[in-house]
Amino acid sequence: MSQLLDRADRRLFRALTPARLAWFHSPRTLVLGFVAIHVVFLLVLLPTILTGNVLGDLPLYRTWAENGLVHHLWQGIDVEWVYPIGAIVPIAFAALAGPLLYQLLWFLMTMSLNAIAVAVLTDRGRDARGYRAAWLWLLLSFVLSPVGLLRLEGLTAPLVITGLVLLARRPIVAATLLTAATWIKVWPAAVMLAVVTVSSRRKVVAVTGAVMSAGVALMVWAAGGIRFLTGFVTMQSDRALQLEAPVTTPWVWLAVSGRPDTAIYQNYAIATREVAGPGTAAVAEVMTPLMFLMIAAVLTLMLVGLRRRSDPALLLLLGSLALVGSFIVFNKVGSPQYMLWLVPIVVVGASRAWRQWRAPVYLMLGISVLTTLIFPVFYLPLVDGDPFAVLLLTVRNALLVVMLGWSVLALAGLVRSTPRAPGLGARSGARTVAARHG
């Protein structure tokens, strides 16, 4: 594996001569790159914006916003909702200029948060190490733009990047951003869990997150929707195996092979494709317990690493990647936007140490390209059971398993390579080191 990565690095840096590297590390070049990518996004979306239409999940978001602003029927307040209640804030905000400008306001929100993430990664152009990560973020945002521009993950991903980078020097701001992201889409809870487990700033983050969450609960209670506050958890529990989930892949191949008791079907109630076949109901039942067992194992490794004084910054990032990877690989639900759960951690890891993080970087590039080929390019053939489309899905899901395996092995290796803390004095020294690293 190391030789393969070395070969990839040599090819990459052979193409990037010193002059080209200096050009890419220029603040002006980065700004031009950011603007160029978002101009491309805007040009692609322009026909939709000019006709007052919306794409992706935005038609549903706009309907929810209109129901609240016009008919005073709020998701998560008056009815149970599949998302955490904080998601209503960006969904309603994009409708403030009227339904015809919904796509434009959503794009402007996404672009603004992307700009903040790039600025924080590079410390507003002053940190040379951050340029590579900023370009990686722009590249992955471009590749995953069919979902990043049109779903809530396009907002939560840059929030998580910003929160992780600011954690060491601005823990309250970081905690605020990570908590807000969690109340918009639940996946950043995995990052928050890693932070409050091993970060030297965990007390500040835990208190800030608890205060913000209590405030959210109080506002929902005052609005009369407290009974729906955790509805996004219960609404997911009864789902069957979804088409794109890694665990579903064997049954997708059974359906492709023409087995009569296995089928890909449309679940009209929640507008998604699912797979039914021998044993799928039982597997769907056990996936959530398996996920929590895996999360418990990762947390145990992180706590051992904390006790042994492992590098806290690396422990946090590897633990976050393993936890988020567990959320994806052991999930009975799978969607293309889930890949944006992994991107922020890989990007921040690359900003810290390229050589340590080059394996997940290359994996993330492959996963992102395959995900966009699967959706939207080959999605309809996939639904129809086209073998090539299913092969793309299979390779993508295999890479997700490899990503999870790499993160767990790297986490275990970090813990194993750190000597045990011999006594109280060493633990005190560990706190000093952790304070320096954040």
Side-chain angles (χ1 to χ4, degrees), residues 280-296:
T280 53
V283 171
E285 286 288 328
V286 303
M287 288 313 296
T288 301
L290 284 176
M291 181 196 300
F292 283 114
L293 283 173
M294 187 65 191
I295 290 169

Side-chain angles (χ1 to χ4, degrees), residues 309 421-433:
R309 299 176 298 160
L424 184 60
R427 285 195 294 272
S428 176
R431 286 194 290 270
T432 302
V433 174

Side-chain angles (χ1 to χ4, degrees), residues 131-146:
Y131 278 83
R132 189 179 293 171
W135 283 110
L136 177 63
W137 166 237
L138 291 177
L139 175 60
L140 291 172
S141 298
F142 183 80
V143 174
L144 289 170
S145 57

